Amino acid sequence: MTEIHGIHIIDTGFHRAQFDAAYLVIENGRAAFIDTGTNHSVPLLLSALQGAGVGIDAVDWVIPTHVHLDHAGGAGALMRELPNATLVVHPRGAAHLIDPTKLVNAAIAVYGEEEVRRSYGDLVPVPRERVIEATDGHRVDLAGRALLCLDTPGHALHHLCVWDERSRSFFTGDTFGLSYREFDTDSRAFILPTTTPSQFDPDQLRSSIQRLLTYSPQTIHLTHYGRITDISRCAADLIVQIDAMTELARTHAQSSDRHARIHAGLSALYVDRARAHGVNLPSVRVLELLAMDIELNAQGLGIWLDRGR
């Protein structure tokens, strides 16, 4: 577990190593978690607390960037272990963590019941009285350290990003895309957008990315995965790819095998971009590492097309 500016990256162990991160922020002996991983991640988060020399009673805040299960599936189980913590979540996501029934059903619709039970376990509700709904501009006070919550739709309507002025960094969930360390070349991060069913909106996502840039962040903390610092280049890459992905989807909008064509097109796009980035992994390995994201992006683009009809 690495630490800079009191920010600890925790590998939640979801899916594979260095795929899904949660963050522990410590200030003057008080703590906050940003994103939680799944139920299976909770022991790792508690172990990180212990490793940082912080007790469970010193955690004041749990802040999921949004309520997709790889980011917030463990929120209820974690809150159960933290007697003094309050959960801070986007207003559109609060009801789903207070009563996770719809959240679980939506995940089952995408992944299937067996996979949801295996990957996420049984979600634990968060008591309503322990939840604060963070509207745009809501400030969380962590022992005098301000964490600013911004409404950042595009990936999901229930998405917020967290600005930490002290470190001049954002915690972006999925708004600023995905960057896996296996694709790094000469310390340069490879990045791609994530659409994910079912609320992808390319115009909103572009606007959210551009809004983050107005803060001149020095670091972006991604859930998938870790810290990146080449912010302007990565933002430009994300915008180019959002445009390419939506154009690809429109091209195949009327195809009888639309999903398969979009999936194949995304696969080719990401392999080409990896090669241009200097990634030397075999193409089959690139596609293996991105398999889940390609499938979800294809589904997200399909739902976006259907919504526009």
Side-chain angles (χ1 to χ4, degrees):
M1 184 175 67
T2 57
E3 181 271 332
I4 301 175
H5 295 296
I7 300 169
H8 302 252
I9 303 174
I10 305 165
D11 191 333
T12 70
F14 178 63
H15 191 48
R16 66 172 186 264
Q18 294 194 316
F19 177 79
D20 188 70
Y23 292 91
L24 172 63
V25 185
I26 300 175
E27 184 74 12
N28 294 323
R30 308 304 297 181
F33 284 106
I34 301 177
D35 280 346
T36 68
T38 71
N39 278 350
H40 307 311
S41 308
V42 171
L44 297 172
L45 273 59
L46 297 176
S47 177
L49 268 183
Q50 184 179 25
V54 177
I56 58 171
D57 57 347
V59 180
D60 293 326
W61 307 104
V62 174
I63 312 173
T65 57
H66 58 304
V67 301
H68 291 161
L69 297 185
D70 51 335
H71 298 257
L78 180 63
M79 288 289 290
R80 191 170 54 185
E81 303 295 325
L82 305 175
N84 296 326
T86 298
L87 184 127
V88 179
V89 65
H90 193 286
R92 289 179 177 267
H96 297 295
L97 296 183
I98 293 167
D99 179 0
T101 304
K102 289 184 179 179
L103 195 61
V104 172
N105 289 339
I108 289 172
V110 174
Y111 302 108
E113 184 169 2
E114 182 178 351
E115 177 61 23
V116 168
R117 300 302 177 196
R118 183 187 70 82
S119 292
Y120 307 109
D122 294 323
L123 267 63
V124 177
V126 181
R128 184 180 300 273
E129 63 272 15
R130 299 184 68 188
V131 175
I132 290 177
E133 297 183 15
T135 55
D136 187 51
H138 179 85
R139 289 183 179 271
V140 173
D141 181 2
L142 176 63
R145 180 174 183 164
L147 302 174
L148 177 66
C149 299
L150 300 182
D151 183 19
T152 52
H155 174 79
L157 290 171
H158 49 85
H159 204 300
L160 57 83
C161 290
V162 180
W163 170 245
D164 175 31
E165 175 67 30
R166 185 175 182 277
S167 64
R168 298 206 58 78
S169 64
F170 269 112
F171 300 86
T172 58
D174 285 340
T175 295
F176 207 79
L178 317 169
S179 180
Y180 300 126
R181 304 283 59 85
E182 293 96 334
F183 295 92
D184 287 351
T185 57
D186 299 325
S187 300
R188 294 173 67 246
F190 178 72
I191 201 159
L192 66 152
T194 172
T195 71
T196 306
S198 58
Q199 296 175 342
F200 170 63
D201 185 299
D203 294 334
Q204 289 181 335
L205 188 54
R206 290 187 203 94
S207 295
S208 290
I209 292 168
Q210 289 160 355
R211 185 183 186 191
L212 299 182
L213 294 179
T214 66
Y215 285 76
S216 300
Q218 295 179 0
T219 306
I220 297 283
H221 294 91
L222 306 171
T223 301
H224 311 287
Y225 175 88
R227 296 185 179 97
I228 59 171
T229 55
D230 192 357
I231 311 303
S232 295
R233 179 188 60 81
C234 287
D237 283 354
L238 287 170
I239 299 298
V240 166
Q241 289 178 81
I242 291 167
D243 293 343
M245 290 162 62
T246 52
E247 181 58 31
L248 171 67
R250 289 191 185 100
T251 297
H252 299 300
Q254 304 304 318
S255 300
S256 58
D257 56 349
R258 183 184 72 184
H259 179 80
R261 288 178 178 270
I262 292 174
H263 189 285
L266 291 175
S267 298
L269 173 67
Y270 299 146
V271 168
D272 288 347
R273 292 195 65 86
R275 292 286 171 263
H277 187 71
V279 175
N280 293 321
L281 295 171
S283 296
V284 67
R285 181 57 176 159
V286 171
L287 294 176
E288 180 181 58
L289 289 167
L290 297 179
M292 179 184 293
D293 300 306
I294 292 169
E295 174 60 26
L296 292 177
N297 279 357
Q299 290 184 33
L301 288 167
I303 292 171
W304 169 70
L305 287 172
D306 291 340
R307 197 168 61 240
R309 288 180 176 177

